[in-house]
Amino acid sequence: MDMSIADRVDNFRNRGHAMNPFETARPPEQPEHRLEARAFKVGDLLQDIQRDRLRIPSLQSRSAEGDVDARELMDNLYRGYPVGTLLLWASSEQPDILLVIEGQRRLTALAHLVLNTDDGDGSALCFDLDQHTFVRPPPASNRVDDPSRWLPLNRLSDSAQLLEWLYAHTPNRERRTQALQLDSRLREYEWPAYVIRGGSEATLVEIRQRMQGGATDPVTEFLRRDAGLLHDTWLPDRHTRATLDRFFHHHPHPQPRSRELLARWIWRRALRGTSRAPDLVDPGDEEALVQRLLHAVGDAPVAWPASTARFDVRQTLGKLQALALLALQPRDLNTGALIDLEGWAHPAFPPILNPKGQPADDARVLSVANRLAHPARSGLRKSLLQVRDGDVLASHGISAEAFSALQAGDAQRFLTLRAATLQQHFDRFFARHARWDATDRPSLASLVVSDDEEET
């Protein structure tokens, strides 16, 4: 409990100290380093490795990251899934050189796959342009029979290498599009990182030990407990995560009201499609910063995300639609049990109806109305048609009327009815999280003016 000035004076006297009326509190020592939270595009990281501006230091002979699954790493980058946070150091002696403290093995694996051009097409991994998966190089005989199907990842080292491969192998239009899309997704992926500028190696060792100590990340805890997000994969963009990192760095234990309003800000920011967040360089006052964030987002959108819009879980709109589907607490079509969302590392949203068998002008077949929040498996539509439990159907946003239409083979009516059901759920779900209808005032405590402030 805070003591009044009189209590502090008495405390000094009781301990036998003479109070110096001119004595002031010693300001806290300033840290010898500066911490930045930012995101690096993978293309820029690869370029910095080539130019020797990103290096692995000698102070850490063994990494605690464990072995890296190269295929999983590349698949996560390709699909926009999280791959962990880098910790980089720019020393005072070499401020333009970044040393990798955490993330060494992941970056080494990435560089080995993409930048090792000595072996021509003998890359350690290839991308199957038909199946959209990362695979070990197939036998030479397969590549001779169909040379344009497997793209070696070391052909992504730069645009010239990729164009040379495309020219030499002349893939069809669909494969060429996939190759260019792979290159774009990989290079544009933004990898979150902390950059330490200045400080000593002893500071780095301590920071790294604390990062590996198993302490709960306050941002992750906040996302789960207050914002209703299992992890930061579901954030609208990486700028949001960077802003939260900086906020919790300055205010590791925000007040309950600040946490509530900060959760609203996340949802509002996603729903408004805001591209960047205010730069929280100045730590400032906790509640004033939250008010600044909310003010920057602005008013509510004219309409909530539509259930008939094209579904792409890599985009902000698709993430919002997916979160709304998961909020229904989907059940397994075969067992009726709740799907374990926490154990579901990468939620799948397989289609109910095959888009190729539907009218080309029906956009709903590409919308969330044609998707299930369910582990992908063969015979999924057959399993759905065999469901007789209304609670299971409701957990996927399928009304009895829509289910009857699906059983009757009326695909268009099924999509219409399910889209309408989902839209009602979307409207309630997003309104409940964003709370644009509620007051955003700070806590009552912050509005109370003390006697000392009134006198001044």
PDB file of all heavy atoms in Angstrom, residues 259-287:
ATOM      1  N   ARG A 259      -7.286  -3.877 -20.257  1.00  0.00           N
ATOM      2  CA  ARG A 259      -7.307  -5.152 -20.970  1.00  0.00           C
ATOM      3  C   ARG A 259      -8.604  -5.297 -21.764  1.00  0.00           C
ATOM      4  O   ARG A 259      -8.607  -5.769 -22.912  1.00  0.00           O
ATOM      5  CB  ARG A 259      -7.143  -6.312 -19.993  1.00  0.00           C
ATOM      6  CG  ARG A 259      -5.837  -6.306 -19.223  1.00  0.00           C
ATOM      7  CD  ARG A 259      -5.782  -7.443 -18.210  1.00  0.00           C
ATOM      8  NE  ARG A 259      -5.591  -8.723 -18.873  1.00  0.00           N
ATOM      9  CZ  ARG A 259      -4.406  -9.317 -19.013  1.00  0.00           C
ATOM     10  NH1 ARG A 259      -3.318  -8.741 -18.529  1.00  0.00           N
ATOM     11  NH2 ARG A 259      -4.310 -10.488 -19.612  1.00  0.00           N
ATOM     12  N   GLU A 260      -9.710  -4.895 -21.154  1.00  0.00           N
ATOM     13  CA  GLU A 260     -11.000  -4.988 -21.841  1.00  0.00           C
ATOM     14  C   GLU A 260     -11.016  -4.110 -23.088  1.00  0.00           C
ATOM     15  O   GLU A 260     -11.448  -4.548 -24.161  1.00  0.00           O
ATOM     16  CB  GLU A 260     -12.111  -4.563 -20.883  1.00  0.00           C
ATOM     17  CG  GLU A 260     -13.498  -4.571 -21.507  1.00  0.00           C
ATOM     18  CD  GLU A 260     -14.564  -4.021 -20.580  1.00  0.00           C
ATOM     19  OE1 GLU A 260     -14.223  -3.671 -19.422  1.00  0.00           O
ATOM     20  OE2 GLU A 260     -15.728  -3.936 -21.001  1.00  0.00           O
ATOM     21  N   LEU A 261     -10.547  -2.878 -22.947  1.00  0.00           N
ATOM     22  CA  LEU A 261     -10.554  -1.951 -24.080  1.00  0.00           C
ATOM     23  C   LEU A 261      -9.530  -2.352 -25.144  1.00  0.00           C
ATOM     24  O   LEU A 261      -9.764  -2.169 -26.340  1.00  0.00           O
ATOM     25  CB  LEU A 261     -10.281  -0.530 -23.596  1.00  0.00           C
ATOM     26  CG  LEU A 261     -11.347   0.076 -22.681  1.00  0.00           C
ATOM     27  CD1 LEU A 261     -10.943   1.481 -22.250  1.00  0.00           C
ATOM     28  CD2 LEU A 261     -12.707   0.114 -23.369  1.00  0.00           C
ATOM     29  N   LEU A 262      -8.408  -2.913 -24.716  1.00  0.00           N
ATOM     30  CA  LEU A 262      -7.393  -3.352 -25.668  1.00  0.00           C
ATOM     31  C   LEU A 262      -7.917  -4.525 -26.505  1.00  0.00           C
ATOM     32  O   LEU A 262      -7.610  -4.632 -27.704  1.00  0.00           O
ATOM     33  CB  LEU A 262      -6.134  -3.765 -24.907  1.00  0.00           C
ATOM     34  CG  LEU A 262      -4.804  -3.733 -25.663  1.00  0.00           C
ATOM     35  CD1 LEU A 262      -4.549  -2.352 -26.247  1.00  0.00           C
ATOM     36  CD2 LEU A 262      -3.664  -4.137 -24.732  1.00  0.00           C
ATOM     37  N   ALA A 263      -8.709  -5.398 -25.889  1.00  0.00           N
ATOM     38  CA  ALA A 263      -9.328  -6.498 -26.640  1.00  0.00           C
ATOM     39  C   ALA A 263     -10.299  -5.947 -27.672  1.00  0.00           C
ATOM     40  O   ALA A 263     -10.355  -6.426 -28.815  1.00  0.00           O
ATOM     41  CB  ALA A 263     -10.032  -7.455 -25.687  1.00  0.00           C
ATOM     42  N   ARG A 264     -11.065  -4.938 -27.300  1.00  0.00           N
ATOM     43  CA  ARG A 264     -11.965  -4.300 -28.274  1.00  0.00           C
ATOM     44  C   ARG A 264     -11.160  -3.742 -29.443  1.00  0.00           C
ATOM     45  O   ARG A 264     -11.577  -3.829 -30.603  1.00  0.00           O
ATOM     46  CB  ARG A 264     -12.747  -3.161 -27.614  1.00  0.00           C
ATOM     47  CG  ARG A 264     -13.785  -3.584 -26.613  1.00  0.00           C
ATOM     48  CD  ARG A 264     -14.547  -2.357 -26.126  1.00  0.00           C
ATOM     49  NE  ARG A 264     -15.349  -2.648 -24.940  1.00  0.00           N
ATOM     50  CZ  ARG A 264     -16.037  -1.748 -24.263  1.00  0.00           C
ATOM     51  NH1 ARG A 264     -16.022  -0.477 -24.661  1.00  0.00           N
ATOM     52  NH2 ARG A 264     -16.741  -2.083 -23.202  1.00  0.00           N
ATOM     53  N   TRP A 265     -10.032  -3.104 -29.122  1.00  0.00           N
ATOM     54  CA  TRP A 265      -9.212  -2.491 -30.168  1.00  0.00           C
ATOM     55  C   TRP A 265      -8.766  -3.526 -31.207  1.00  0.00           C
ATOM     56  O   TRP A 265      -8.792  -3.259 -32.404  1.00  0.00           O
ATOM     57  CB  TRP A 265      -7.985  -1.827 -29.535  1.00  0.00           C
ATOM     58  CG  TRP A 265      -6.953  -1.436 -30.545  1.00  0.00           C
ATOM     59  CD1 TRP A 265      -7.006  -0.389 -31.422  1.00  0.00           C
ATOM     60  CD2 TRP A 265      -5.714  -2.103 -30.802  1.00  0.00           C
ATOM     61  NE1 TRP A 265      -5.874  -0.360 -32.205  1.00  0.00           N
ATOM     62  CE2 TRP A 265      -5.062  -1.407 -31.841  1.00  0.00           C
ATOM     63  CE3 TRP A 265      -5.081  -3.214 -30.242  1.00  0.00           C
ATOM     64  CZ2 TRP A 265      -3.826  -1.778 -32.340  1.00  0.00           C
ATOM     65  CZ3 TRP A 265      -3.839  -3.597 -30.745  1.00  0.00           C
ATOM     66  CH2 TRP A 265      -3.232  -2.883 -31.773  1.00  0.00           C
ATOM     67  N   ILE A 266      -8.376  -4.729 -30.737  1.00  0.00           N
ATOM     68  CA  ILE A 266      -7.932  -5.768 -31.667  1.00  0.00           C
ATOM     69  C   ILE A 266      -9.047  -6.104 -32.659  1.00  0.00           C
ATOM     70  O   ILE A 266      -8.832  -6.170 -33.879  1.00  0.00           O
ATOM     71  CB  ILE A 266      -7.503  -7.026 -30.892  1.00  0.00           C
ATOM     72  CG1 ILE A 266      -6.226  -6.752 -30.103  1.00  0.00           C
ATOM     73  CG2 ILE A 266      -7.312  -8.205 -31.838  1.00  0.00           C
ATOM     74  CD1 ILE A 266      -5.791  -7.913 -29.229  1.00  0.00           C
ATOM     75  N   TRP A 267     -10.246  -6.328 -32.135  1.00  0.00           N
ATOM     76  CA  TRP A 267     -11.360  -6.697 -33.008  1.00  0.00           C
ATOM     77  C   TRP A 267     -11.764  -5.532 -33.915  1.00  0.00           C
ATOM     78  O   TRP A 267     -12.043  -5.730 -35.098  1.00  0.00           O
ATOM     79  CB  TRP A 267     -12.540  -7.159 -32.157  1.00  0.00           C
ATOM     80  CG  TRP A 267     -12.318  -8.529 -31.599  1.00  0.00           C
ATOM     81  CD1 TRP A 267     -11.799  -8.852 -30.374  1.00  0.00           C
ATOM     82  CD2 TRP A 267     -12.582  -9.772 -32.255  1.00  0.00           C
ATOM     83  NE1 TRP A 267     -11.718 -10.209 -30.229  1.00  0.00           N
ATOM     84  CE2 TRP A 267     -12.196 -10.805 -31.370  1.00  0.00           C
ATOM     85  CE3 TRP A 267     -13.100 -10.107 -33.500  1.00  0.00           C
ATOM     86  CZ2 TRP A 267     -12.322 -12.138 -31.701  1.00  0.00           C
ATOM     87  CZ3 TRP A 267     -13.230 -11.453 -33.826  1.00  0.00           C
ATOM     88  CH2 TRP A 267     -12.838 -12.450 -32.932  1.00  0.00           C
ATOM     89  N   ARG A 268     -11.806  -4.338 -33.372  1.00  0.00           N
ATOM     90  CA  ARG A 268     -12.178  -3.188 -34.201  1.00  0.00           C
ATOM     91  C   ARG A 268     -11.166  -2.954 -35.312  1.00  0.00           C
ATOM     92  O   ARG A 268     -11.525  -2.626 -36.439  1.00  0.00           O
ATOM     93  CB  ARG A 268     -12.307  -1.942 -33.323  1.00  0.00           C
ATOM     94  CG  ARG A 268     -13.464  -1.996 -32.346  1.00  0.00           C
ATOM     95  CD  ARG A 268     -13.544  -0.708 -31.538  1.00  0.00           C
ATOM     96  NE  ARG A 268     -14.541  -0.791 -30.482  1.00  0.00           N
ATOM     97  CZ  ARG A 268     -14.831   0.199 -29.650  1.00  0.00           C
ATOM     98  NH1 ARG A 268     -14.176   1.357 -29.754  1.00  0.00           N
ATOM     99  NH2 ARG A 268     -15.747   0.053 -28.712  1.00  0.00           N
ATOM    100  N   ARG A 269      -9.914  -3.090 -34.970  1.00  0.00           N
ATOM    101  CA  ARG A 269      -8.860  -2.894 -35.960  1.00  0.00           C
ATOM    102  C   ARG A 269      -9.008  -3.888 -37.110  1.00  0.00           C
ATOM    103  O   ARG A 269      -8.860  -3.530 -38.285  1.00  0.00           O
ATOM    104  CB  ARG A 269      -7.505  -3.058 -35.277  1.00  0.00           C
ATOM    105  CG  ARG A 269      -6.308  -3.025 -36.210  1.00  0.00           C
ATOM    106  CD  ARG A 269      -5.023  -3.132 -35.416  1.00  0.00           C
ATOM    107  NE  ARG A 269      -3.902  -3.487 -36.272  1.00  0.00           N
ATOM    108  CZ  ARG A 269      -3.301  -2.650 -37.103  1.00  0.00           C
ATOM    109  NH1 ARG A 269      -3.723  -1.410 -37.200  1.00  0.00           N
ATOM    110  NH2 ARG A 269      -2.292  -3.052 -37.847  1.00  0.00           N
ATOM    111  N   ALA A 270      -9.295  -5.144 -36.772  1.00  0.00           N
ATOM    112  CA  ALA A 270      -9.482  -6.163 -37.806  1.00  0.00           C
ATOM    113  C   ALA A 270     -10.719  -5.869 -38.648  1.00  0.00           C
ATOM    114  O   ALA A 270     -10.695  -5.980 -39.877  1.00  0.00           O
ATOM    115  CB  ALA A 270      -9.592  -7.539 -37.160  1.00  0.00           C
ATOM    116  N   LEU A 271     -11.805  -5.484 -37.997  1.00  0.00           N
ATOM    117  CA  LEU A 271     -13.063  -5.242 -38.708  1.00  0.00           C
ATOM    118  C   LEU A 271     -12.997  -3.990 -39.575  1.00  0.00           C
ATOM    119  O   LEU A 271     -13.666  -3.902 -40.607  1.00  0.00           O
ATOM    120  CB  LEU A 271     -14.212  -5.138 -37.708  1.00  0.00           C
ATOM    121  CG  LEU A 271     -14.568  -6.453 -37.011  1.00  0.00           C
ATOM    122  CD1 LEU A 271     -15.425  -6.200 -35.779  1.00  0.00           C
ATOM    123  CD2 LEU A 271     -15.291  -7.391 -37.969  1.00  0.00           C
ATOM    124  N   ARG A 272     -12.208  -3.012 -39.159  1.00  0.00           N
ATOM    125  CA  ARG A 272     -12.059  -1.789 -39.944  1.00  0.00           C
ATOM    126  C   ARG A 272     -11.013  -1.932 -41.037  1.00  0.00           C
ATOM    127  O   ARG A 272     -10.938  -1.114 -41.951  1.00  0.00           O
ATOM    128  CB  ARG A 272     -11.678  -0.622 -39.030  1.00  0.00           C
ATOM    129  CG  ARG A 272     -12.808  -0.102 -38.176  1.00  0.00           C
ATOM    130  CD  ARG A 272     -13.806   0.688 -38.982  1.00  0.00           C
ATOM    131  NE  ARG A 272     -13.208   1.908 -39.535  1.00  0.00           N
ATOM    132  CZ  ARG A 272     -13.828   2.740 -40.344  1.00  0.00           C
ATOM    133  NH1 ARG A 272     -15.060   2.485 -40.727  1.00  0.00           N
ATOM    134  NH2 ARG A 272     -13.241   3.822 -40.796  1.00  0.00           N
ATOM    135  N   GLY A 273     -10.174  -2.965 -40.927  1.00  0.00           N
ATOM    136  CA  GLY A 273      -9.139  -3.144 -41.943  1.00  0.00           C
ATOM    137  C   GLY A 273      -8.033  -2.123 -41.853  1.00  0.00           C
ATOM    138  O   GLY A 273      -7.420  -1.761 -42.868  1.00  0.00           O
ATOM    139  N   THR A 274      -7.747  -1.641 -40.631  1.00  0.00           N
ATOM    140  CA  THR A 274      -6.688  -0.653 -40.453  1.00  0.00           C
ATOM    141  C   THR A 274      -5.355  -1.262 -40.825  1.00  0.00           C
ATOM    142  O   THR A 274      -5.031  -2.367 -40.422  1.00  0.00           O
ATOM    143  CB  THR A 274      -6.644  -0.164 -38.988  1.00  0.00           C
ATOM    144  OG1 THR A 274      -7.953   0.237 -38.608  1.00  0.00           O
ATOM    145  CG2 THR A 274      -5.691   1.002 -38.828  1.00  0.00           C
ATOM    146  N   SER A 275      -4.550  -0.537 -41.598  1.00  0.00           N
ATOM    147  CA  SER A 275      -3.302  -1.100 -42.114  1.00  0.00           C
ATOM    148  C   SER A 275      -2.176  -1.065 -41.106  1.00  0.00           C
ATOM    149  O   SER A 275      -1.362  -1.969 -41.036  1.00  0.00           O
ATOM    150  CB  SER A 275      -2.870  -0.350 -43.382  1.00  0.00           C
ATOM    151  OG  SER A 275      -2.685   1.029 -43.107  1.00  0.00           O
ATOM    152  N   ARG A 276      -2.090   0.003 -40.312  1.00  0.00           N
ATOM    153  CA  ARG A 276      -1.012   0.113 -39.341  1.00  0.00           C
ATOM    154  C   ARG A 276      -1.556   0.637 -38.021  1.00  0.00           C
ATOM    155  O   ARG A 276      -2.587   1.302 -37.984  1.00  0.00           O
ATOM    156  CB  ARG A 276       0.095   1.045 -39.837  1.00  0.00           C
ATOM    157  CG  ARG A 276       0.895   0.499 -41.001  1.00  0.00           C
ATOM    158  CD  ARG A 276       2.088   1.388 -41.274  1.00  0.00           C
ATOM    159  NE  ARG A 276       3.058   1.343 -40.203  1.00  0.00           N
ATOM    160  CZ  ARG A 276       4.056   0.486 -40.147  1.00  0.00           C
ATOM    161  NH1 ARG A 276       4.214  -0.403 -41.090  1.00  0.00           N
ATOM    162  NH2 ARG A 276       4.907   0.508 -39.135  1.00  0.00           N
ATOM    163  N   ALA A 277      -0.824   0.359 -36.964  1.00  0.00           N
ATOM    164  CA  ALA A 277      -1.211   0.853 -35.639  1.00  0.00           C
ATOM    165  C   ALA A 277      -0.349   2.051 -35.276  1.00  0.00           C
ATOM    166  O   ALA A 277       0.739   2.219 -35.815  1.00  0.00           O
ATOM    167  CB  ALA A 277      -1.031  -0.251 -34.593  1.00  0.00           C
ATOM    168  N   PRO A 278      -0.822   2.908 -34.377  1.00  0.00           N
ATOM    169  CA  PRO A 278       0.021   4.015 -33.923  1.00  0.00           C
ATOM    170  C   PRO A 278       1.318   3.492 -33.328  1.00  0.00           C
ATOM    171  O   PRO A 278       1.347   2.443 -32.699  1.00  0.00           O
ATOM    172  CB  PRO A 278      -0.846   4.699 -32.851  1.00  0.00           C
ATOM    173  CG  PRO A 278      -2.236   4.284 -33.151  1.00  0.00           C
ATOM    174  CD  PRO A 278      -2.143   2.910 -33.740  1.00  0.00           C
ATOM    175  N   ASP A 279       2.401   4.209 -33.564  1.00  0.00           N
ATOM    176  CA  ASP A 279       3.706   3.769 -33.074  1.00  0.00           C
ATOM    177  C   ASP A 279       3.850   4.144 -31.606  1.00  0.00           C
ATOM    178  O   ASP A 279       3.923   5.322 -31.265  1.00  0.00           O
ATOM    179  CB  ASP A 279       4.803   4.442 -33.901  1.00  0.00           C
ATOM    180  CG  ASP A 279       6.165   3.833 -33.624  1.00  0.00           C
ATOM    181  OD1 ASP A 279       6.205   2.786 -32.949  1.00  0.00           O
ATOM    182  OD2 ASP A 279       7.167   4.407 -34.078  1.00  0.00           O
ATOM    183  N   LEU A 280       3.872   3.133 -30.737  1.00  0.00           N
ATOM    184  CA  LEU A 280       3.948   3.384 -29.302  1.00  0.00           C
ATOM    185  C   LEU A 280       5.407   3.467 -28.855  1.00  0.00           C
ATOM    186  O   LEU A 280       5.898   2.637 -28.107  1.00  0.00           O
ATOM    187  CB  LEU A 280       3.215   2.281 -28.541  1.00  0.00           C
ATOM    188  CG  LEU A 280       1.733   2.137 -28.836  1.00  0.00           C
ATOM    189  CD1 LEU A 280       1.152   1.012 -28.007  1.00  0.00           C
ATOM    190  CD2 LEU A 280       0.997   3.416 -28.558  1.00  0.00           C
ATOM    191  N   VAL A 281       6.113   4.459 -29.351  1.00  0.00           N
ATOM    192  CA  VAL A 281       7.506   4.624 -28.952  1.00  0.00           C
ATOM    193  C   VAL A 281       7.574   5.202 -27.551  1.00  0.00           C
ATOM    194  O   VAL A 281       8.342   4.773 -26.706  1.00  0.00           O
ATOM    195  CB  VAL A 281       8.244   5.543 -29.946  1.00  0.00           C
ATOM    196  CG1 VAL A 281       9.660   5.808 -29.462  1.00  0.00           C
ATOM    197  CG2 VAL A 281       8.265   4.926 -31.326  1.00  0.00           C
ATOM    198  N   ASP A 282       6.740   6.207 -27.291  1.00  0.00           N
ATOM    199  CA  ASP A 282       6.696   6.832 -25.976  1.00  0.00           C
ATOM    200  C   ASP A 282       5.844   5.970 -25.058  1.00  0.00           C
ATOM    201  O   ASP A 282       4.673   5.732 -25.341  1.00  0.00           O
ATOM    202  CB  ASP A 282       6.093   8.237 -26.104  1.00  0.00           C
ATOM    203  CG  ASP A 282       5.989   8.944 -24.751  1.00  0.00           C
ATOM    204  OD1 ASP A 282       6.539   8.421 -23.779  1.00  0.00           O
ATOM    205  OD2 ASP A 282       5.360  10.015 -24.701  1.00  0.00           O
ATOM    206  N   PRO A 283       6.415   5.441 -23.947  1.00  0.00           N
ATOM    207  CA  PRO A 283       5.626   4.564 -23.075  1.00  0.00           C
ATOM    208  C   PRO A 283       4.369   5.235 -22.562  1.00  0.00           C
ATOM    209  O   PRO A 283       3.310   4.628 -22.525  1.00  0.00           O
ATOM    210  CB  PRO A 283       6.594   4.213 -21.943  1.00  0.00           C
ATOM    211  CG  PRO A 283       7.684   5.221 -22.017  1.00  0.00           C
ATOM    212  CD  PRO A 283       7.789   5.624 -23.447  1.00  0.00           C
ATOM    213  N   GLY A 284       4.453   6.505 -22.180  1.00  0.00           N
ATOM    214  CA  GLY A 284       3.271   7.266 -21.802  1.00  0.00           C
ATOM    215  C   GLY A 284       2.465   6.647 -20.676  1.00  0.00           C
ATOM    216  O   GLY A 284       2.902   5.766 -19.957  1.00  0.00           O
ATOM    217  N   ASP A 285       1.241   7.128 -20.536  1.00  0.00           N
ATOM    218  CA  ASP A 285       0.301   6.635 -19.540  1.00  0.00           C
ATOM    219  C   ASP A 285      -0.477   5.464 -20.128  1.00  0.00           C
ATOM    220  O   ASP A 285      -0.935   5.519 -21.261  1.00  0.00           O
ATOM    221  CB  ASP A 285      -0.653   7.768 -19.131  1.00  0.00           C
ATOM    222  CG  ASP A 285      -1.739   7.269 -18.210  1.00  0.00           C
ATOM    223  OD1 ASP A 285      -1.451   7.028 -17.033  1.00  0.00           O
ATOM    224  OD2 ASP A 285      -2.883   7.114 -18.690  1.00  0.00           O
ATOM    225  N   GLU A 286      -0.627   4.416 -19.332  1.00  0.00           N
ATOM    226  CA  GLU A 286      -1.267   3.187 -19.817  1.00  0.00           C
ATOM    227  C   GLU A 286      -2.632   3.455 -20.440  1.00  0.00           C
ATOM    228  O   GLU A 286      -2.906   3.082 -21.586  1.00  0.00           O
ATOM    229  CB  GLU A 286      -1.395   2.193 -18.661  1.00  0.00           C
ATOM    230  CG  GLU A 286      -2.229   0.968 -18.984  1.00  0.00           C
ATOM    231  CD  GLU A 286      -2.575   0.173 -17.750  1.00  0.00           C
ATOM    232  OE1 GLU A 286      -1.679  -0.039 -16.907  1.00  0.00           O
ATOM    233  OE2 GLU A 286      -3.744  -0.232 -17.620  1.00  0.00           O
ATOM    234  N   GLU A 287      -3.513   4.086 -19.693  1.00  0.00           N
ATOM    235  CA  GLU A 287      -4.877   4.271 -20.174  1.00  0.00           C
ATOM    236  C   GLU A 287      -4.949   5.296 -21.306  1.00  0.00           C
ATOM    237  O   GLU A 287      -5.801   5.190 -22.192  1.00  0.00           O
ATOM    238  CB  GLU A 287      -5.786   4.663 -19.011  1.00  0.00           C
ATOM    239  CG  GLU A 287      -5.839   3.578 -17.932  1.00  0.00           C
ATOM    240  CD  GLU A 287      -7.023   3.721 -17.004  1.00  0.00           C
ATOM    241  OE1 GLU A 287      -8.172   3.526 -17.464  1.00  0.00           O
ATOM    242  OE2 GLU A 287      -6.813   4.037 -15.835  1.00  0.00           O
TER     243      GLU A 287
END
